[in-house]
């Protein structure tokens, strides 16, 4: 499978997208996404504690974005030791990495990015704190650039699916703001838009935390894409009336057989899409495909606090003391998935064979 | 089709259910449902203006409940003229009925109940204002009793569907508080509960107005039924994990071919239920079946204000100025409906034939 070329016009468009993370002149800035859509403040991260809190409080969220923020965050944490001797500088690396890693214990990309930075430092021959600091910032920028390239790859691979006049449904936020680039599910939309294809997006609001209404609608609107917010329970009606032609969502993990774990509500969207003959696609970097996980049945489903369902902000919406369930994810079986949009191209059924080939490089 | 007998134990249980409407010693009391679930105030309706505002502000809602409230409301409106002469009393009837009817122009039961009260007065031979007032209150009580009997009939017909240990999903509120009795979709649940059948109910919160979380969960909890609130997008996951065995919803209108219009989100639930082989039932009095409406395609779908979707109470959840859709209803095709639970029994496919027979009395 050959990499799909990204259109030349795209680079210019990409520069204008909203960003979760910026590295400017040696300083890290993060968008506080908890304040969307009312405000969109870029906050300067002055200390390791700032970055720790930003990750812990979900100011920066989405697996790829957390990884990139953590890599830069380690640079922020080590900057005060830049002019110390190399031995003193090295002494702080593991300590600061462990501190940042504890901000969200279950975020896989957080630990992955920090371990990569630590391993890089171990291999480095740098002779001074300043030299190692500069090398580490370059490595963080490499992680950032790789994430952006993965997004571009998904965008180029999936953009062909979006034809003029289509209505495209997405669920939750697998957007630019969940990555350091142009997102996963949104990447095909941004590429199609940059190419001048006219289409509409419907953003499921995505209860209970409303990432679709708050974040996806905001970033698509900022990018000039025609976006309409709907409640999660409207998707079936919109498909029945012919307003939705395509679904693209993100995913947290894909099993070896093609089963897809994603934000709660994705399974319902996939079933309804199948009923109406609307193709349901999932976008993810190939690193999200876990060949060690045989089927979706092996993926644990996190159950979050009931108060996210029974309250809305400070307001109680269900009776005090009434039970609520809050599974944060569901698993969509592979037979409902039309294709997986990866940076290496679109993978289709039979998934067990084709996903194995993707990693074997023989696809 | 013979009426299904209601269990003797039920009357005692029914008396303990939450009530939307009470007529006590010649006074009308309405539950202010807009304040659920935080508060549940019963408000004394002292004037026609009180009743008008209660209907207009949705303090009382649900087609059957609005009809009963309007019939009693006309009595409240006429009480000041009780000791006037019969001619003066009669002069006020049409005027007060027209005033109440204007509270919600599209509520079918509102006009129906008021016209029935007006026609009753025209036929009445009463010789004084007091006599006609007493006869009208008796007629309002008859409308109330008939509504309660319809609910009992649906409850008795549908209770057999609920077997021990089942999980039952419902959407929106087609409950006791939408009627003057034990509800439509909830009636089988209340009868099964009164019979001692153990089961669990899952209440979809029902965005955007949250009638499921605010009202259904409250009334089932008050009645001692095991109820759990879920967001609308969790139903598929709960069916995939085997926690839901049966769906019962209400409906606003049933077409002659069995297509069902109901609160937005019902169609999605029906499609997902079919996917998992979970039976999807709809409860309604036979008066909701509109043989003059050939198919669901003829039922207009009300589109409400976008702010119900983009705001939550006073809080903006989607970006200012971003578009939103807000269809209030959807249409579920008859082939997804396992049966219609009516006061005359359960009607199943083929609907065109069986619904015609229901009204012909030959079923």
């Amino acid at each position: 499978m050959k990499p799909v070329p990204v259109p030349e016009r795209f680079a210019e468009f990409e520069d204008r997208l909203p960003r979760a993370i910026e590295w400017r002149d040696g300083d890290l800035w993060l968008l506080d996404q908890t304040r969307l859509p009312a405000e969109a403040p870029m906050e300067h991260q002055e200390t390791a504690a700032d970055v720790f809190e930003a990750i812990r409080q979900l100011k920066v969220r989405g697996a790829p974005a957390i990884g990139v923020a953590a890599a830069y965050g380690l640079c922020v944490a080590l900057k005060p030791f830049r002019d110390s001797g190399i031995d003193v500088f090295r002494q702080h690396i593991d300590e600061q990495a462990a501190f940042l890693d504890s901000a969200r214990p279950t975020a896989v990309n957080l630990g992955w990015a920090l371990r990569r930075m630590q391993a890089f430092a171990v291999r480095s021959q740098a002779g001074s704190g300043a030299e190692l600091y500069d090398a580490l910032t370059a490595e963080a920028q490499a992680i950032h650039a790789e994430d952006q390239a993965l997004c571009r790859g998904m965008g180029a691979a999936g953009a062909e699916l979006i034809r003029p006049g289509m209505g495209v449904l997405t669920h939750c936020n697998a957007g630019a703001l969940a990555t350091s680039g142009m997102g996963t599910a949104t990447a095909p939309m941004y590429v199609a838009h940059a190419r001048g294809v006219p289409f509409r997006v419907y953003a499921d609001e995505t209860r209970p935390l409303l990432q679709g209404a708050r974040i996806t609608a905001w970033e698509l609107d900022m990018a000039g894409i025609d976006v309409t917010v709907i409640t999660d329970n409207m998707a079936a009606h919109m498909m029945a009336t012919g307003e939705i032609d395509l679904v693209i969502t993100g995913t947290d993990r894909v099993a070896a057989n093609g089963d897809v774990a994603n934000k709660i509500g994705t399974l319902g969207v996939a079933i309804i899409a199948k009923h109406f003959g609307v193709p349901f696609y999932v976008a993810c970097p190939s690193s999200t495909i876990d060949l060690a996980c045989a089927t979706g049945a092996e993926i644990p489903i996190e159950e979050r606090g009931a108060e996210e369902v029974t309250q809305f902000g400070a307001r109680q919406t269900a009776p005090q003391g009434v039970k609520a369930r809050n599974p944060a994810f569901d698993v969509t079986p592979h037979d409902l998935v039309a294709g997986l949009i990866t940076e290496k191209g679109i993978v289709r059924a039979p998934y067990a064979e084709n996903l194995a080939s993707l990693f074997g490089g023989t696809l």
Side-chain angles (χ1 to χ4, degrees), chain A:
Chain A
M1 189 178 269
K2 288 184 302 184
V4 188
V6 179
E8 284 178 27
R9 294 180 52 195
F10 192 77
E12 187 189 318
F13 174 78
E14 191 181 9
D15 281 345
R16 299 198 308 265
L17 289 181
R19 290 177 195 176
I21 300 166
E22 286 193 20
W23 180 255
R24 294 187 216 142
D25 306 323
D27 281 319
L28 176 62
W29 295 75
L30 297 176
L31 174 63
D32 180 357
Q33 298 186 40
T34 64
R35 290 162 71 183
L36 291 176
E39 296 173 284
M42 288 301 293
E43 295 184 342
H44 182 209
Q45 309 295 307
E46 299 188 40
T47 66
D50 288 347
V51 181
F52 176 93
E53 283 301 320
I55 295 172
R56 194 182 69 78
Q57 296 176 25
L58 313 188
K59 291 180 176 185
V60 59
R61 29 66 59 192
I66 289 172
V68 174
Y72 283 129
L74 187 61
C75 300
V76 170
L78 294 171
K79 197 172 186 179
F81 311 108
R82 198 173 180 279
D83 298 324
S84 310
I86 181 71
D87 294 341
V88 172
F89 187 91
R90 283 191 180 278
Q91 279 164 20
H92 286 95
I93 295 176
D94 290 353
E95 171 193 297
Q96 294 297 325
F99 170 63
L100 290 171
D101 195 26
S102 65
R104 280 188 75 186
T106 58
V108 173
N109 283 48
L110 176 60
W112 168 85
L114 291 166
R115 283 192 301 275
R116 174 166 158 177
M117 294 287 281
Q118 290 169 279
F120 176 87
V122 167
R123 287 195 311 273
S124 168
Q125 306 287 323
S128 70
E131 195 183 334
L132 185 47
Y133 172 82
D134 290 345
L136 282 168
T137 60
E139 182 68 3
Q141 287 173 294
I143 291 173
H144 190 172
E146 288 165 26
D147 181 52
Q148 291 178 313
L150 287 175
C151 293
R152 276 182 219 119
M154 285 178 269
E160 307 291 341
L161 299 170
I162 302 175
R163 289 188 293 275
M166 272 191 168
V168 183
L169 177 70
T170 190
H171 188 73
C172 198
N173 178 260
L177 297 182
T179 68
S180 65
M182 54 171 160
T184 59
T186 55
M189 303 177 200
Y190 288 129
V191 172
H193 184 66
R195 287 178 182 167
V197 177
F199 63 98
R200 315 174 303 288
V201 178
Y202 295 94
D204 274 349
E205 66 173 3
T206 317
R207 279 281 286 152
L209 297 181
L210 299 168
Q211 294 94 334
R214 292 192 301 108
I215 304 175
T216 302
W218 185 82
E219 68 165 83
L220 292 175
D221 188 50
M222 290 286 288
I225 291 179
D226 179 348
V227 60
T228 299
V229 177
I230 61 173
T231 61
D232 299 289
N233 61 20
M234 289 175 190
H237 176 71
M238 307 298 281
M239 289 192 204
T241 54
E243 290 169 89
I244 293 171
D245 307 287
L246 175 68
V247 182
I248 308 177
T249 75
T251 172
D252 291 84
R253 203 198 303 196
V254 178
N257 71 342
D259 291 353
V260 168
N262 192 40
K263 184 64 57 191
I264 190 72
T266 304
L267 171 60
V269 170
I271 291 168
I272 293 164
K274 181 172 189 178
H275 180 84
F276 288 107
V278 171
F280 173 87
Y281 284 87
V282 175
C284 62
S286 58
S287 56
T288 305
I289 299 161
D290 183 359
L291 293 187
C293 175
T295 77
E298 294 180 16
I299 303 175
I301 302 296
E302 175 190 1
E303 183 97 18
R304 295 176 57 87
E307 71 284 356
E308 289 180 355
V309 172
T310 58
Q311 296 173 9
F312 194 99
R315 182 170 159 195
Q316 187 79 18
T317 56
Q320 197 73 40
V322 160
K323 290 185 290 188
R325 288 289 304 276
N326 191 11
F329 303 95
D330 57 29
V331 173
T332 299
H334 58 87
D335 60 341
L336 299 176
V337 180
L340 296 169
I341 303 167
T342 78
E343 79 282 4
K344 301 181 183 187
I346 298 178
V347 182
R348 299 180 188 275
Y351 289 103
E353 292 86 327
N354 291 344
L355 288 176
S357 303
L358 187 71
F359 289 97
T362 60
L363 194 66

